[in-house]
Amino acid sequence: MKIMIVEDDPVSLALLKKNLSKTEAQLVTARTGAEAWERFVQDQPRIVISDWMLPELSGIDLCRKIRDTETAVYTYIIIMTAKDRKEDVLTTFEAGADDYVAKPYDLRELNARLNTGKRIIQLEDNHQALQKKLIRSRTKLQTVFDALTEEIISVDQNINLDSINKAAMKIMRGTYSEVVGQPCCELIEESGDTFYRSNLQQLVQEAFETRRTNRVLDRFRNADDQEVIKERTLIPVMSEDGKVQTVTIVSRDITDAHQRNEEIRGLNQKLKKISSELIKKNATLESTLKNLERTQAQMLQSEKMASIGQLAAGVAHEINNPTGFVSSNIKTLGDYQEDLGRLIQVYQALKAALKAMPSEALPEAVLSLVDQAETTEEEIDIEFIQQDVNELITDCREGTERIKKIVEDLKHFAHPGEDRMTETDINKGLESTLNVVYNEIKYKATVTKDLGDLPMVYGFPQQLNQVFMNILVNAAQAIEKSGEITIETELVDQMVEVRISDTGRGISPEHLPRIFDPFFTTKDVGKGTGLGMNIAYNIIKKHNGDIQVKSTKGKGTTFIIQLPADADPGEAGSPDPAMTASA
Ligand SMILES: Nc1ncnc2c1ncn2[C@@H]1O[C@H](COP(=O)(O)OP(=O)(O)OP(=O)(O)O)[C@@H](O)[C@H]1O
Ligand SMILES: [Mg+2]
């Protein structure tokens, strides 16, 4: 550390220099006040040890001059003098000296005071360095603050302005140095931002009390009468002891952002509306599609039914005519046979009478005819014929009756049907449907019927027959070689219950819930449409009924249909795709 010794007496100077050079490396000397000042300016010593009494410029004046000069670093000044009056000591300190050493000096004391000086200089240097750092970071902070578009001001508890950034300066009257330290409310331009004059005080007070950051939205009209929206964030700034020192208020103009938000919100709402409309439309489309699929399926099936109906009606008509005359001829034949029988009886009586007469009494020709009649009777076994003819006629009658019945069933089954519900006899429907599909069934299954006494059901008979047919055909198809099909009907709790069971291959549990789905089939491509059960389901639902399936793989399947007994359901219920299936 550079030390300057100022002493006019050469002996004292030499002695002092000698003494101090033992501990100090950088010593500068001067013998007059003026020389001392020159050296001071040139060498910038950190410690000056100066005699009071000096030629040209006294040590006290040198001291004053140094203190009056702005220096980069602090200089520690020790005045040495033989003057020891109290006023002299006071004069020394008033002139700006840091210490005072009485002459003649004691070297140890001087060294001790020098050390104190060095310590103080060190502290002073540290302090200066810290201050520089502080200033640098303050400047940095201010630069950042100034670069921000947000208005930032800091106020103390009395709402005096502590600091302010460039953006906020725009709404202030005066320069930076003019406004800092002044009451904030009085500095604001009459621009229209009323916040600083109206709400600030209360919010700052709250921030001091709650010590919490607060955010408020503020709307006002500016000088051009346009609405401005600002977001104000009040941040309490605390010292180490946790006390709020200042409150920093950051004001952000969010008018544009707010407008954009509003626009986005509006657009979002529109979007939501559109998307919900889309979802609705989609749902409608989906259900329309499902309905279409169903309708298509039903149409397919009804077309099939219609063509079966047409065919059956044609066949029935064609069969009806010949059956009619066969049946009436058989009746006539029966009558004829009766007449002929009676005649044969007369002939036979005549023959017996002739035979009882003596042969001489009869002409040869008659005798020959009697013999011929007898032989012919034996040959043709007239007794058998007479008995058999009756049986044959009875059989023929039965046959034609059966033909009539089948034709009736066909007509009943395939009748185009009315377009409104009518009283329907379920047992009759089952019987005629069974007769129609019997050909499909008879080689594979024996059919057992247990049909109970049933009230009428209000419905579309042909459609219900279609359900029975679909179930019966499936049942027959499920039986590999031979099995049983049981048809039972019963009135259960005012519901007509139809159960159709088979001993076929059954339905696997994973297929069971899909049995009523349109187009679900386990049959080979081209063999099954997978519509039979779906149509059955829809028809039963239309009749406000229920259809369920129970099945055990490998053992068989039972379809249970329940229909409201004798009830007029009014408007037919719309088909519901939801289904119940249980294993
Ligand atoms: N009684 C039954 N036993 C075993 N499986 C059955 C029975 N009834 C229906 N299924 C199963 O349900 C499926 C669907 O039957 P559905 O009658 O709807 O269509 P499909 O019989 O396959 O075709 P289609 O009826 O057009 O001939 C069948 O493929 C079959 O797997
Ligand atoms: Mg089927």
Side-chain angles (χ1 to χ4, degrees), residues 506-522:
I507 303 166
S508 59
E510 69 268 25
H511 287 163
L512 211 54
R514 302 171 58 197
I515 230 72
F516 298 111
D517 288 355
F519 308 110
F520 173 75
T521 179
T522 54

Side-chain angles (χ1 to χ4, degrees), residues 534-554:
N534 179 255
I535 282 162
Y537 181 86
N538 290 333
I539 291 173
I540 296 302
K541 283 287 152 188
K542 200 159 144 186
H543 283 77
N544 289 332
D546 190 28
I547 177 165
Q548 288 187 32
V549 56
K550 295 180 178 180
S551 187
T552 311
K553 184 96 182 128

Side-chain angles (χ1 to χ4, degrees), residues 326-538:
V326 168
S327 153
S328 99
N329 285 358
I330 284 170
K331 190 175 175 304
T332 316
L333 258 181
D335 292 345
Y336 287 173
Q337 153 63 16
E338 226 172 84
D339 292 348
L340 282 175
R342 269 194 296 128
L343 186 64
I344 287 170
Q345 270 178 357
V346 177
Y347 283 147
Q348 280 181 337
L350 178 66
K351 191 188 76 181
L354 285 175
K355 271 193 91 179
M357 284 176 70
S359 51
E360 321 74 69
L362 296 170
E364 194 60 29
V366 172
L367 276 175
S368 160
L369 278 172
V370 169
D371 276 350
Q372 216 179 317
E374 205 144 40
T375 331
T376 312
E377 272 184 12
E378 273 167 24
E379 264 174 24
I380 64 169
D381 196 351
I382 187 73
E383 265 175 44
F384 172 78
I385 287 181
Q386 274 196 300
Q387 201 189 332
D388 203 33
V389 161
N390 284 333
E391 281 174 18
L392 286 179
I393 288 173
T394 313
D395 283 355
C396 283
R397 209 174 274 141
E398 257 180 47
T400 49
E401 281 311 308
R402 265 169 61 187
I403 291 171
K404 270 190 196 160
K405 174 97 179 43
I406 287 171
V407 168
E408 268 306 298
D409 285 339
L410 258 180
K411 276 187 183 165
H412 179 256
F413 174 79
H415 189 274
E418 302 192 35
D419 49 9
R420 57 182 187 82
M421 290 184 159
T422 51
E423 298 236 301
T424 306
D425 185 337
I426 294 294
N427 284 342
K428 204 171 155 197
L430 276 164
E431 295 262 24
S432 58
T433 307
L434 181 64
N435 279 339
V436 171
V437 296
Y438 194 62
N439 202 41
E440 286 248 339
I441 299 176
K442 66 181 176 200
Y443 302 110
K444 281 188 175 179
T446 52
V447 179
T448 314
K449 288 181 287 183
D450 182 4
L451 308 182
D453 270 347
L454 296 181
M456 287 296 202
V457 161
Y458 212 74
F460 297 102
Q462 276 64 47
Q463 289 187 12
L464 291 172
N465 288 350
Q466 192 181 346
V467 173
F468 304 145
M469 182 179 79
N470 289 354
I471 295 175
L472 284 168
V473 170
N474 277 353
Q477 287 169 343
I479 293 168
E480 206 114 328
K481 280 195 179 120
S482 70
E484 277 171 37
I485 293 174
T486 313
I487 306 170
E488 294 163 297
T489 59
E490 194 183 351
L491 182 68
V492 183
D493 297 334
Q494 277 313 296
M495 295 292 269
V496 167
E497 192 169 288
V498 179
R499 295 185 294 271
I500 302 176
S501 312
D502 65 68
T503 55
R505 72 176 76 87
I507 303 166
S508 59
E510 69 268 25
H511 287 163
L512 211 54
R514 302 171 58 197
I515 230 72
F516 298 111
D517 288 355
F519 308 110
F520 173 75
T521 179
T522 54
K523 290 169 192 166
D524 293 340
V525 180
K527 285 215 169 140
T529 61
L531 289 173
M533 286 304 94
N534 179 255
I535 282 162
Y537 181 86
N538 290 333

Side-chain angles (χ1 to χ4, degrees), residues 144-152 165-168 170 230 250-253:
V144 175
F145 265 28
D146 285 342
L148 292 175
T149 50
E150 283 90 350
E151 295 161 14
I152 305 172
N165 76 339
K166 227 178 194 167
K170 286 183 192 155
K230 282 191 180 178
V250 182
S251 298
R252 199 154 62 94
D253 191 335

